[in-house]
Amino acid sequence: MKKIDIFNHIWPKPFFDRLIGYIGTMTDVTMRSGAVPMMTDLDRRFQVMDMFGEDYQQVLSLASPPLEKLAGAERALDLGQIGNDSMAELCRKYPERFPAFIATAPMENQEWMMKETKRCIEDLGASAIQIFTNYSGKPLDLPQFEPFFEYMAKVGKPVFLHPSRGANFPDYLTEDRSEYEIFWTFGWPYETSAAMARLVFSRMFDKYKGLKIVTHHAGGMVPFFEGRVGAGWDQMGKRTSDRDLSVVLKALERPHLEYFKEFYADTASFGSTKAIEHAIEFFGEDRVVFASDAPFDPEGGPMYIRETIKVLDNMNISDATRRKIYEGNARKLLGLS
């Protein structure tokens, strides 16, 4: 069965070289990424991919964190252009391995964001655009980001939502940092869920019909907390006394839980069977796509791919459903032949 790994990450050599030129020494998340050979060494990436046969393909995307955090707003545009050009070139050169790529558009400057988004979609042939759950602490439902969502809905291309939160986001008000990397383990699923909620309740799906958003890591917390998201939020406003939140639900065209089910989710759950089962149950078999999050596993590439395949191959689902998740949904979502 052909497998299209729709959410894994790369730093192409031209991008990596420019990044090193800008920031020099790697720290924190960049240190993790730079230390994995598969991120920057194409030969090593091919070796890992070959472990899973010729039917295994990857859709490329740049790794986190947001480019603005890496090098500032102006350099982020330069890094994005280099990264996007490089991924497009890899897809042209190795179409049997990389059938598509997901571009990254710096979002700190609206004019630059829209210019690069349109260039990637209309000139480079990008199948989607990757954004992050916040930009410099700004939520995605601010007016400055609406032209982006409007355009993506208009052209019918999906938005890939990657969580972003660092150690500088404390877990307790009395502290100035997140300890024990809690910001990643529990913070990233929360970041994804919070961003989803902001997009739903700001009526983004009502304003821009057909908007497609793919959530990383099996939809964050949402499938696990369907009761709180659904019936719990039916009572929105009952816990708030300084403003009337009941108008939020009344403004939506449909029950709010229906919007949450319109998101897509990937299978990048580090080998958790239950996470993938919950994602399929909540979003439906037509909205779950195969993804590994390679190469960020203890083995530097093959482990998350291997364990995700093992979960899907042993899951109690029909072959038709399995084929949708491995390949069919990705082809439809990304417009692949």
Side-chain angles (χ1 to χ4, degrees), residues 80-249:
Q81 291 173 336
I82 293 172
N84 294 330
D85 288 342
S86 299
M87 290 189 291
E89 175 61 25
L90 287 172
C91 290
R92 286 193 293 269
K93 192 172 182 180
Y94 306 102
E96 73 286 354
R97 291 188 181 272
F98 310 127
F101 76 100
I102 304 164
T104 293
M107 292 184 73
E108 195 70 27
N109 180 295
Q110 181 179 326
E111 181 181 351
W112 296 348
M113 170 186 68
M114 293 309 303
K115 185 176 181 180
E116 181 62 6
T117 294
K118 291 179 180 179
R119 185 183 80 92
C120 290
I121 296 295
E122 298 171 15
D123 298 337
L124 296 185
S127 293
I129 301 290
Q130 174 179 251
I131 63 171
F132 292 84
T133 49
N134 74 80
Y135 276 82
S136 301
K138 299 176 182 178
L140 295 179
D141 60 349
L142 292 180
Q144 72 186 80
F145 299 134
E146 288 207 30
F148 168 78
F149 291 112
E150 181 181 20
Y151 173 79
M152 295 301 287
K154 181 180 179 181
V155 298
K157 298 293 185 180
V159 176
F160 277 60
L161 188 61
H162 195 292
S164 176
R165 178 183 285 217
N168 64 332
F169 198 117
D171 306 300
Y172 295 92
L173 293 176
T174 56
E175 299 180 342
D176 60 6
R177 63 174 290 130
S178 175
E179 299 292 347
Y180 314 117
E181 298 185 352
I182 293 172
F183 74 89
W184 179 87
T185 305
F186 298 124
W188 279 20
Y190 174 82
E191 271 284 328
T192 299
S193 307
M196 293 166 71
R198 293 293 291 255
L199 293 173
V200 167
F201 294 123
S202 63
R203 301 185 60 246
M204 210 67 75
F205 289 97
D206 285 342
K207 296 175 187 175
Y208 310 117
K209 307 295 186 182
L211 181 63
K212 302 180 183 71
I213 299 180
V214 184
T215 59
H216 209 6
H217 306 310
M221 299 163 58
V222 172
F224 300 91
F225 294 103
E226 179 176 2
R228 298 178 76 91
V229 173
W233 248 328
D234 280 338
Q235 304 175 72
M236 183 183 290
K238 297 293 180 63
R239 312 164 190 84
T240 304
S241 58
D242 63 343
R243 51 185 168 154
D244 182 10
L245 289 179
S246 65
V247 299
V248 174
L249 296 181

Side-chain angles (χ1 to χ4, degrees), residues 322-337:
R322 191 173 288 108
R323 187 169 287 106
K324 283 183 181 180
I325 295 171
Y326 270 141
E327 177 188 10
N329 292 341
R331 289 196 180 280
K332 185 176 180 179
L333 183 65
L334 300 179
L336 302 178
S337 59

Side-chain angles (χ1 to χ4, degrees), residues 15 62 67 75-85 104 106 116:
F15 172 90
L62 297 180
L67 299 177
R75 289 177 172 179
L77 177 61
D78 181 48
L79 284 171
Q81 291 173 336
I82 293 172
N84 294 330
D85 288 342
T104 293
E116 181 62 6

